[in-house]
Amino acid sequence: MQAGVAYCNASAAFAAGYQLARDAASNGGISCVQLLLLFCGGNCHYQQLLAGARQFCGPDTQILGGSTVGIITTERIETTGYPAIAMALQATDVQFKLALSEQLSRDPSAAGKALAMQLANSLDPKLLLLFYDSVRYAGSAARPAVLNPSPPLLQCLSRQLAKPVPIAGAGLLADLLFSNTKQIFQHQVTDNAAMALQFSGNLKPYIVAMHGCEPLPSESLTISRSFGQFVYELNKQPVCKVLDRIIGHQRWRDQKPVSQYALGMSYPAVAGQPFSTPYVARLINGVLPNDEGIILFEPDLTEGQQIQLLQRSAHSILMATDQQTRAVLQQIKQDGCRAVAAIYFDCAGRIHASTPEAVLLQQQLKAAAIPLLGIYTGVEIAPVVTNHS
């Protein structure tokens, strides 16, 4: 398989799309683009960008992508203006199959089932990338955004697949204001949709989680009152007061989203799984009016569930990025495989931290001559390995 990546930051969307597809193909030494991944910031004109890419690729190329808060390649990190990125792929021994469901906002579980049904006839699946619209209804100064939950989408998709396959991907986001988000699928631009890309054939995926949050030492926390993405009480006390006491101040309340703290669930680590992580973090979007509760990015933390308050650690982020990247590159070498491309889903909340971990990743992949498509997202999806013994 051959892969090439290109980036662009130009307001003329049609020309930018054409340039992205052309340069990605050229950078990968690709004569005929079979698959094009195409992502852009919320300021871009999606349909014109897609039309430009389609003009270069022709009608037979499969195209999938959508919104991103910013882009990352081995050369650039761009989060302002009209950032856009493309990855072109061509292969004789790898097959690509796309699926789309526009039922996401009505029924995430049905959307997962619809994707699985479209992928049912795939042979020898090796990897499934899942992308979905994080924003169901855009927010405003007067009301928080309503978000699409990933757990029912993921659970139904994985259960309905004919064969088990590792799933990775992202909840797409257009900006940090939770404005309307778009998905690009084949010849159309849509929203409130879920998309899947399944790889089959001669491919071995390596999936790494690079978390940068550490649990704060505190009393055991149990969610005692919640509804969807809103948490009102911990340990039968107002959640904001509990967090004020543990954190030691109220300044965290002024951040939208909260950049330094998150709620998390812990999973038992498994020996021999160097790329697994014991934590799944849930970003705090902000505080409800009158300090009534907090708004989480996902609605899957429920009453009675034990959680931990996590603190973002710049040191942990850098250490995890460095160690995990080095480890996976070494593992690829030991397995006698050749790295074709890297796809990186980075939390949009890290943009506030000047993105040092993205720079570190750039340096390591550039030294290894591996093309990188990175996007800033709302939700990052990776397999969670748990110990069932």
Side-chain angles (χ1 to χ4, degrees):
M1 186 164 67
Q2 298 166 267
V5 171
Y7 65 88
C8 183
N9 196 329
S11 59
F14 183 92
Y18 187 94
Q19 177 187 331
L20 281 167
R22 180 196 64 197
D23 291 352
S26 176
N27 293 339
I30 294 171
S31 57
C32 178
V33 180
Q34 292 175 265
L35 173 69
L36 187 76
L37 301 180
L38 181 65
F39 296 91
C40 65
N43 290 334
C44 295
H45 192 295
Y46 295 87
Q47 193 65 58
Q48 290 185 11
L49 187 81
L50 172 59
R54 181 64 70 185
Q55 178 70 27
F56 175 82
C57 293
D60 297 330
T61 298
Q62 299 190 81
I63 300 180
L64 179 145
S67 299
T68 178
V69 184
I71 65 98
I72 307 166
T73 73
T74 55
E75 303 291 339
R76 302 294 290 265
I77 300 174
E78 297 185 1
T79 59
T80 59
Y82 305 86
I85 190 170
M87 174 180 283
L89 294 169
Q90 180 181 21
T92 57
D93 54 357
V94 176
Q95 296 76 48
F96 314 107
K97 189 166 186 177
L98 274 60
L100 170 71
S101 175
E102 295 179 294
Q103 305 179 56
L104 180 63
S105 61
R106 295 191 298 273
D107 188 341
S109 295
K113 182 177 180 180
L115 292 177
M117 290 178 65
Q118 294 173 56
L119 300 171
N121 295 326
S122 299
L123 299 176
D124 191 27
K126 296 296 180 60
L127 172 67
L128 192 151
L129 294 182
L130 174 67
F131 301 98
Y132 73 95
D133 192 335
S134 286
V135 179
R136 184 177 181 184
Y137 299 114
S140 67
R143 58 180 175 81
V146 178
L147 307 177
N148 286 311
S150 67
L153 171 68
L154 270 167
Q155 290 165 7
C156 198
L157 171 62
S158 60
R159 289 171 184 167
Q160 295 288 331
L161 289 171
K163 295 182 179 180
V165 58
I167 301 174
L172 301 182
L173 200 64
D175 55 41
L176 293 175
L177 300 175
F178 302 97
S179 301
N180 290 319
T181 304
K182 299 294 183 181
Q183 295 79 60
I184 295 172
F185 187 86
Q186 298 290 43
H187 297 268
Q188 70 181 90
V189 175
T190 186
D191 57 21
N192 265 305
M195 309 176 296
L197 165 61
Q198 189 160 272
F199 296 80
S200 301
N202 185 24
L203 178 78
K204 183 175 182 179
Y206 292 81
I207 302 174
V208 179
M210 302 175 182
H211 275 308
C213 289
E214 297 178 343
L216 275 175
S218 66
E219 69 267 31
S220 176
L221 298 176
T222 301
I223 297 175
S224 49
R225 190 162 71 92
S226 66
F227 179 77
Q229 70 188 96
F230 308 119
V231 176
Y232 302 104
E233 292 182 358
L234 294 175
N235 295 347
K236 298 184 179 181
Q237 301 175 50
V239 61
C240 290
K241 290 185 178 180
V242 173
L243 297 186
D244 289 345
R245 184 179 72 250
I246 297 173
I247 295 170
H249 59 77
Q250 297 184 0
R251 295 187 299 277
W252 65 272
R253 300 188 185 191
D254 300 326
Q255 301 174 346
K256 297 180 181 179
V258 177
S259 61
Q260 294 300 316
Y261 302 96
L263 299 188
M265 301 165 285
S266 63
Y267 289 83
V270 178
Q273 295 291 338
F275 310 132
S276 184
T277 174
Y279 296 106
V280 172
R282 292 291 176 255
L283 183 73
I284 301 173
N285 287 347
V287 177
L288 289 168
N290 302 317
D291 301 335
E292 183 183 3
I294 59 173
I295 310 164
L296 299 183
F297 206 101
E298 289 276 12
D300 59 331
L301 297 187
T302 58
E303 292 182 8
Q305 194 165 16
Q306 290 191 330
I307 57 143
Q308 293 174 284
L309 179 62
L310 306 178
Q311 181 174 26
R312 190 183 304 276
S313 165
H315 172 72
S316 294
I317 292 172
L318 287 172
M319 183 173 66
T321 302
D322 181 59
Q323 292 181 350
Q324 296 288 61
T325 305
R326 291 181 186 278
V328 75
L329 292 176
Q330 181 61 32
Q331 187 65 55
I332 293 170
K333 184 178 179 180
Q334 290 179 0
D335 292 347
C337 297
R338 177 179 66 89
V340 175
I343 300 177
Y344 181 44
F345 306 122
D346 200 0
C347 175
R350 292 184 178 182
I351 293 174
H352 294 301
S354 303
T355 64
E357 89 291 339
V359 174
L360 181 59
L361 183 70
Q362 281 182 316
Q363 294 169 347
Q364 294 189 358
L365 294 181
K366 185 176 181 179
I370 301 173
L372 166 66
L373 179 147
I375 58 173
Y376 284 106
T377 65
V379 171
E380 300 78 51
I381 299 168
V384 174
V385 181
T386 58
N387 192 345
H388 299 288
S389 61

